[in-house]
Amino acid sequence: MRVGILGSGLMGGKLGTIFARAGHDVVFSYARSEQKLKRLAREAKGKARAGTPGEAAREADALLLAVHWSRVDDVLKQAGDVSGKVIVSCSLPMNADDTDLVIAHTSSGAEQLAKRVPKARVVSAFGTVPSEVLFGVFAAKRKTSRPSLVYCGDNDSSKAVAAELIRDVGFDPVDAGPLRIARYTEPFTLLIARLAYEGDGGPEVAYRFERFGKKG
Ligand SMILES: NC(=O)c1ccc[n+]([C@@H]2O[C@H](COP(=O)([O-])OP(=O)(O)OC[C@H]3O[C@@H](n4cnc5c(N)ncnc54)[C@H](OP(=O)(O)O)[C@@H]3O)[C@@H](O)[C@H]2O)c1
């Protein structure tokens, strides 16, 4: 898959690196320094290169949107035409100092994003785990018991693309339903962040859902 990274920071830099190591063709874009994008591409050691958001978007089968909420408009403007593109977003609608959601309950960041780019196909994924756990999950990929990762979206084929990327990182994708379910997954992330950054166990936290009892 050709994956364009829009926002090459903690989430985009790590996920792009993992996607490249999993065999995808990755373009890192949108950082404050071109040197950083080149370094990420070099160190990913797969098929990866640095580019502009427009270059990242042009040929992409999937785009990862991984910028602060305040930068979404800017990066999308630079990306240009994203009609028909699968946009996997881990971006949360956080306020400037990252202490609270600015959209919740009656809508979600993912739904606002989908309204902003109505011709793209938005899937909300990866936003429910801290960046610090991603390489650890990838390294443990061969183990039988994988951590879960919830995702949601309104289009089945784009959700299949997201599920493939989720599996490639080492998670067990859990389809949570339509995009409006991001109203629940986005606040859930604040719980995960609390456990990651305020607890004693360190930020390398993932979660796993278990089912008990007979099926059907
Ligand atoms: N970090 C996490 O653990 C985590 C977990 C779940 C969800 N999220 C969400 O994921 C999204 C990305 O978070 P993150 O932690 O990866 O953010 P981040 O590390 O700040 O990365 C954002 C990227 O955008 C770039 N950027 C910011 N302003 C720019 C500008 N004016 N021009 C060009 N590039 C610019 C940054 O450049 P530089 O590289 O030069 O800084 C960086 O590459 C956010 O919406 C966040 O809420 C984060």
Side-chain angles (χ1 to χ4, degrees):
M1 228 192 272
R2 287 163 303 187
V3 187
I5 306 294
L6 300 176
S8 298
L10 290 171
M11 292 298 280
K14 288 175 188 169
L15 285 169
T17 298
I18 292 170
F19 295 153
R21 289 184 186 162
H24 298 294
D25 200 331
V26 170
V27 179
F28 288 101
S29 79
Y30 203 70
R32 275 163 286 216
S33 111
E34 164 99 35
Q35 288 316 311
K36 179 185 178 180
L37 297 174
K38 286 186 173 156
R39 179 178 52 74
L40 278 168
R42 205 169 47 241
E43 291 176 359
K45 293 197 177 81
K47 275 200 213 156
R49 64 190 169 88
T52 63
E55 286 162 354
R58 206 163 300 138
E59 307 265 293
D61 301 305
L63 285 165
L64 177 76
L65 181 69
V67 294
H68 190 271
W69 193 242
S70 58
R71 309 303 313 170
V72 168
D73 274 342
D74 186 51
V75 76
L76 287 175
K77 205 185 304 156
Q78 291 190 38
D81 185 11
V82 291
S83 306
K85 298 284 181 192
V86 175
I87 301 184
V88 178
S89 176
C90 69
S91 299
L92 296 166
M94 300 301 288
N95 61 9
D97 57 5
D98 279 325
T99 51
D100 218 343
L101 294 166
V102 293
I103 302 167
H105 192 54
T106 53
S107 187
S108 59
E111 289 165 281
Q112 290 295 110
L113 171 66
K115 279 191 190 146
R116 167 77 176 68
V117 283
K119 291 183 177 157
R121 295 175 293 159
V122 173
V123 181
S124 174
F126 294 113
T128 52
V129 287
S131 71
E132 288 86 347
V133 84
L134 295 170
F135 284 131
V137 170
F138 185 59
K141 201 176 159 183
R142 307 266 167 253
K143 294 195 180 151
T144 47
S145 167
R146 290 180 163 211
S148 309
L149 193 94
V150 290
Y151 68 107
C152 59
D154 290 335
N155 175 278
D156 285 345
S157 60
S158 41
K159 283 171 82 172
V161 168
E164 184 183 337
L165 292 172
I166 292 167
R167 248 179 242 110
D168 285 341
V169 177
F171 291 100
D172 178 21
V174 176
D175 183 350
L179 201 61
R180 66 177 167 75
I181 301 302
R183 295 174 195 188
Y184 313 145
T185 63
E186 290 173 1
F188 169 71
T189 303
L190 273 61
L191 166 66
I192 298 292
R194 169 88 203 172
L195 299 176
Y197 303 118
E198 311 294 333
D200 297 330
E204 297 86 2
V205 182
Y207 54 90
R208 178 174 171 77
F209 297 114
E210 306 271 0
R211 287 189 188 276
F212 295 88
K214 283 185 200 145
K215 276 191 192 159

